[in-house]
Amino acid sequence: MSCFSPVVFADLDDTLFQTAWKMSEPVVDTRLASRAKNGIHSYMTKAQAATVDWLLKTTRLIPTTARGSRVLARTTIPFTDYKICANGGAILTPEGAHDPHWAARVAKISRQYNDAFDGLQDAVSVLADSGVLRSWLVYEAQIPVYFVAKIGTGTSQAVLDEAEARCRKAVGGDLVFHRNERNMSFTPGGLTKLDAVREMLGRLPNTDKRPIWGMGDSVSDLSFMRLCQMMAIPSNSQITKNRLEAWSMLDTNTLMSGSYDPEDVIFLLKPVRVATTDIAEKECLIQTGTAHYSEMISEERRPDARYLEIFEEALARNTARTGRDIARIAATVADRVARGTLPHEITLCSLVRAGVPYGVLIHRELKVLGVDSAHYGVSIIRDRGLDANAMNYIFATRDPHGVLFVDGWTGKGTISRELQKSWADLGRPDAPELAVLADPGGFATLSGSHDDWLIPSGILGANVSGLISRSILNADVVGPNDFHGTMSVDHLFDIDVSRRFVDEVSEATAVARSDASPIPFNADSLARLRATSANCVDDIARRHDIDNLNRIKPGIAEATRAVLRRQPNRVFARDLSNPDLAALVHLCRLDDIPVVECAQTTGPYQAITVIGKVSWCAIRSKATRWARPFTCPLSNQR
């Protein structure tokens, strides 16, 4: 064999062979691949047998399997090179002994997870005792390396769902998780297939001159396969099934990037056209319940020259801070990936539109830090939730456990709560993770700070977010299999700063990179912030007789956008001399909206906008323009 022959890291089960009951052709004893104690042996198809024969003769074939070393020994395939087994928990030498260097690493890391392993076993003990599930620890050289739970053929997936939820509650996100149809596993970070393959690539000679191949069937195999130059995937595998499901969604949906570079973001949104609705009419329809806000769109207001000057001033004043926060958020994500509390595959899902610029920035920085990052813009709508079609597209193409939602800021927690509910409705047993720049309300998992400060993009709309509108969910233009809709905001093309904004902040992020350290998580502090936020909003509602909290818009960015899109009757400000409030005050002067300076009212926020309650006369005249039946809130008559 040539000294430059290809190196192939190959998963075994469901890649090079499979159990007899999965065979797509008659079982032939001469193609026996592995014996099992229960008599359900594994076999190769003709194609698999020919592939294995070819690989053994022409490559350095290194099995890369979840099988422990004892189970690996039951295979009939004559592997003669190194072997990666136990999901990366062991590397065997060509002679079959545990590699001493890797074994020392395994022992050191495993000791840190003794309590987690105990917690996992306790978490599923009730299910295991009832006989609906089996669970065990896989040991190598008498050291536990990963936990596995398995259901039998015909057992409901609900059992595995419950087991996953129990395990996640017991250990949080401290281990790397994998699941397929019948089993799931939790592996310590640093002891995965990815880590072992990376170790081998550092040891083998001439890897810069050899073709490096990765073979696997499972989505979890993609992590180590991405280290390779080429991939080989069985046509009937978890990977191809998921990808084909995702591709089928594109029959009725088009991937787009707005005015951004496609390398920066893909919007999972459907381009639509709907007639615009006057702001006053829209307000009437929203407040009466005649139409949901997502069914309508108003023409986006064009900023005047002074407003654009205020944006430029805010950008100059706050670019460095934005860059520092982005660097710290990305450093935190990269640290969690390195520690194994997040998977190696990170998928940023920016909430359209406010989260998109910051998703672009975090995505760019993660790539610089060597993290496998993808970035999508997805829709979330109050009272309607996340776009399920968009999320299912992502689940079919990326590891769901690596999803990180991104927004610009938090207000009173409405979207955070919507996110939690939607995530659960999608069948996810874990809690969603949300990253923002400003989290004065304490609703994000990860934030640059808990200050309410002027994030520069917060005072602009489409022209800093890729020239797209906010998302639209109107049954006339969005079907059941469609992504949520959006409209192109072409009339702001000449003042689009979407790319310039992220480019300038990226430069500031690069400057801050060397000093960026991970951000600590403090659950008690977040709870106190949430309580303070709720008390502030409830106090305003009580003192001003507001029966719908959706009419209260706290935080500089949210308060400013409410003035642009809605019909406010007043704005509360902590300190009118604060330059961060210049855009908001400018708009209020233009629209004759009273601004009340009162630090006691604004609580943790710099500003709060209150949407006015529409009078019944206005409601009646506006609402009757809509064809659907309308119920007067003051009577039972139609």
Side-chain angles (χ1 to χ4, degrees), residues 76-96:
T76 62
I77 300 172
F79 297 116
T80 58
D81 212 307
Y82 283 94
K83 306 166 191 68
I84 295 171
C85 53
N87 261 344
I91 295 177
L92 305 182
T93 66
E95 295 75 27

Side-chain angles (χ1 to χ4, degrees), residues 234-545:
S235 58
N236 185 29
S237 66
Q238 184 187 50
I239 295 172
T240 51
K241 287 177 183 175
N242 285 9
R243 268 46 181 181
L244 288 171
E245 179 182 337
W247 294 334
S248 69
M249 294 183 187
L250 300 183
D251 291 343
T252 57
N253 294 286
T254 302
L255 301 182
M256 55 183 284
S257 297
S259 63
Y260 285 111
D261 187 324
E263 291 292 316
D264 282 333
V265 63
I266 297 296
F267 288 120
L268 300 185
L269 296 166
K270 177 185 178 181
V272 300
R273 298 296 301 176
V274 296
T276 57
T277 304
D278 174 74
I279 290 178
E281 181 174 2
K282 181 177 69 176
E283 194 63 55
C284 294
L285 297 167
I286 290 172
Q287 290 198 25
T288 60
T290 305
H292 191 267
Y293 77 88
S294 65
E295 297 177 86
M296 304 169 286
I297 196 81
S298 299
E299 180 169 309
E300 188 154 327
R301 182 172 179 170
R302 184 181 181 85
D304 61 21
R306 175 56 189 146
Y307 195 85
L308 291 174
E309 286 179 8
I310 293 171
F311 165 76
E312 295 295 343
E313 292 165 3
L315 181 59
R317 190 171 62 249
N318 291 328
T319 293
R321 177 174 185 172
T322 307
R324 286 194 299 271
D325 285 351
I326 292 295
R328 294 176 67 222
I329 290 171
T332 306
V333 174
D335 177 69
R336 290 184 59 190
V337 169
R339 291 189 292 110
T341 60
L342 280 175
H344 294 277
E345 186 177 82
I346 298 299
T347 305
L348 302 174
C349 294
S350 289
L351 302 179
V352 172
R353 293 178 303 183
V356 174
Y358 305 101
V360 169
L361 291 162
I362 296 170
H363 174 57
R364 287 181 174 185
E365 185 64 8
L366 287 177
K367 290 197 294 184
V368 171
L369 297 177
V371 175
D372 176 3
S373 172
H375 179 214
Y376 297 98
V378 300
S379 168
I380 187 169
I381 296 173
R382 192 190 72 229
D383 304 324
R384 300 293 186 269
L386 281 165
D387 183 343
N389 289 329
M391 294 312 302
N392 285 329
Y393 174 87
I394 290 170
F395 293 162
T397 56
R398 304 282 293 179
D399 183 351
H401 303 96
V403 168
L404 177 65
F405 292 97
V406 180
D407 210 348
W409 57 86
T410 64
K412 59 181 182 290
T414 301
I415 291 301
S416 175
R417 287 185 288 272
E418 194 71 58
L419 182 61
Q420 293 171 8
K421 181 180 181 300
S422 294
W423 193 243
D425 290 344
L426 288 167
R428 304 304 311 162
D430 49 340
E433 301 221 29
L434 174 65
V436 301
L437 254 70
D439 183 29
F443 296 100
T445 313
L446 175 60
S447 65
S449 77
H450 296 295
D451 301 331
D452 183 20
W453 62 285
L454 180 57
I455 300 169
S457 70
I459 60 175
L460 292 181
N463 60 319
V464 78
S465 305
L467 286 181
I468 63 166
S469 74
R470 65 157 172 79
S471 49
I472 297 168
L473 189 58
N474 184 314
D476 292 338
V477 292
V478 178
N481 298 318
D482 293 340
F483 298 147
H484 289 182
T486 188
M487 288 174 57
S488 181
V489 187
D490 297 328
H491 69 282
L492 300 184
F493 173 80
D494 60 313
I495 55 171
D496 182 28
V497 296
S498 302
R499 291 202 187 194
R500 179 167 70 85
F501 175 74
V502 293
D503 287 346
E504 290 187 16
V505 178
S506 287
E507 292 178 5
T509 304
V511 172
R513 184 177 303 135
S514 60
D515 294 326
S517 57
I519 302 168
F521 177 79
N522 189 324
D524 292 337
S525 175
L526 293 178
R528 288 192 294 270
L529 287 166
R530 289 193 295 271
T532 302
S533 168
N535 290 337
C536 172
V537 172
D538 290 344
D539 184 58
I540 290 176
R542 182 173 57 254
R543 287 191 289 110
H544 297 278
D545 194 28

